């Protein structure tokens, strides 16, 4: 249970689950700054994904480190962030928590079919829908011993923000 309103939060999940939409709305609701982790990808990583090739753990390490450093720097200044970041594997979340031990995760989850359907309605600069299989293959859902909660995509973005807000307050 998290009882601190100004805790840094990562809204996580596979592409197309609504991390950026929900994360931005959550940040606004909590009066915090929002950062889309995608903005910290290198040009090389964006190019690789745009060509239809999933990133490897080695590709992701510098990106995750940039995200972690950004969150840690903001937290030191008393400016906790809400960040949209896939954080697909436990090892990625462990790396992020190594920099920011108070970090909590809000995982957005749904069926691969639901998310694939959502992707037909979106045009992403460098994340083609063909990468969804690799995202689900890499996904290690948030475990019970990790700080955070899971939220089902049966809810609207506004409902998700409310559920996350309430869930992190308990």
């Amino acid at each position: 249970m998290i009882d601190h309103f100004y805790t840094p939060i990562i809204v996580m999940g596979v592409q197309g689950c609504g991390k950026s939409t929900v994360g931005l709305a959550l940040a606004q609701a909590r009066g915090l700054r929002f950062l889309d982790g995608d903005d910290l990808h290198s040009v090389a990583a964006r190019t690789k994904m745009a060509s239809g090739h999933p990133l490897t753990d080695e590709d992701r390490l510098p990106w995750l480190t940039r995200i972690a450093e950004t969150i840690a720097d903001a937290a030191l200044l008393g400016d906790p962030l809400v960040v949209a970041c896939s954080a697909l594997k436990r090892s990625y979340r462990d790396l992020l928590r190594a920099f920011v031990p108070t970090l909590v995760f809000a995982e957005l989850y749904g069926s691969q079919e639901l998310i694939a359907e959502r992707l037909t309605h979106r045009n992403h600069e460098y994340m083609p829908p063909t990468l969804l299989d690799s995202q689900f293959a890499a996904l290690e859902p948030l475990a019970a011993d990790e700080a955070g909660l899971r939220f089902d995509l049966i809810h609207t973005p506004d409902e998700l923000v409310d559920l996350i807000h309430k869930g992190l307050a308990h």
Side-chain angles (χ1 to χ4, degrees):
M1 289 206 231
I2 309 303
D3 60 11
H4 193 272
F5 191 78
Y6 297 104
T7 300
I9 302 164
I10 288 189
V11 179
M12 62 167 281
V14 298
Q15 71 178 105
C17 72
K19 297 181 295 292
S20 298
T21 299
V22 172
L24 177 60
L26 180 65
Q28 291 170 342
R30 293 174 76 90
L32 302 177
R33 278 194 309 128
F34 172 73
L35 171 68
D36 192 325
D38 283 350
D39 293 342
L40 298 180
H41 272 301
S42 69
V43 172
R46 290 175 189 229
T47 302
K48 184 173 184 175
M49 289 183 286
S51 70
H53 299 285
L55 299 180
T56 64
D57 289 349
E58 186 177 303
D59 295 329
R60 287 188 179 104
L61 183 61
W63 170 66
L64 291 164
T65 301
R66 280 191 296 278
I67 290 171
E69 290 171 343
T70 302
I71 296 169
D73 289 348
L76 283 174
L77 297 172
D79 183 26
L81 302 173
V82 174
V83 179
C85 172
S86 55
L88 296 174
K89 293 183 179 183
R90 170 105 186 212
S91 61
Y92 303 167
R93 298 186 296 271
D94 289 346
L95 180 145
L96 293 161
R97 281 190 297 267
F99 282 81
V100 188
T102 59
L103 187 62
V104 296
F105 295 85
E107 180 184 356
L108 305 181
Y109 71 91
S111 72
Q112 188 165 349
E113 295 74 25
L114 169 68
I115 295 171
E117 196 282 324
R118 284 179 166 200
L119 290 175
T120 65
H121 304 287
R122 132 183 150 150
N123 183 22
H124 194 278
E125 177 186 356
Y126 55 84
M127 281 294 290
T130 55
L131 292 179
L132 185 60
D133 287 344
S134 69
Q135 295 250 303
F136 269 96
L139 178 63
E140 296 172 2
L142 196 63
D145 66 331
E146 292 184 88
L149 298 166
R150 300 181 77 224
F151 299 92
D152 194 325
L153 292 176
I154 61 169
H155 301 284
T156 67
D158 287 341
E159 290 169 338
L160 287 165
V161 168
D162 189 49
L163 289 168
I164 294 168
H165 184 68
K166 288 176 181 173
L168 295 179
H170 290 93

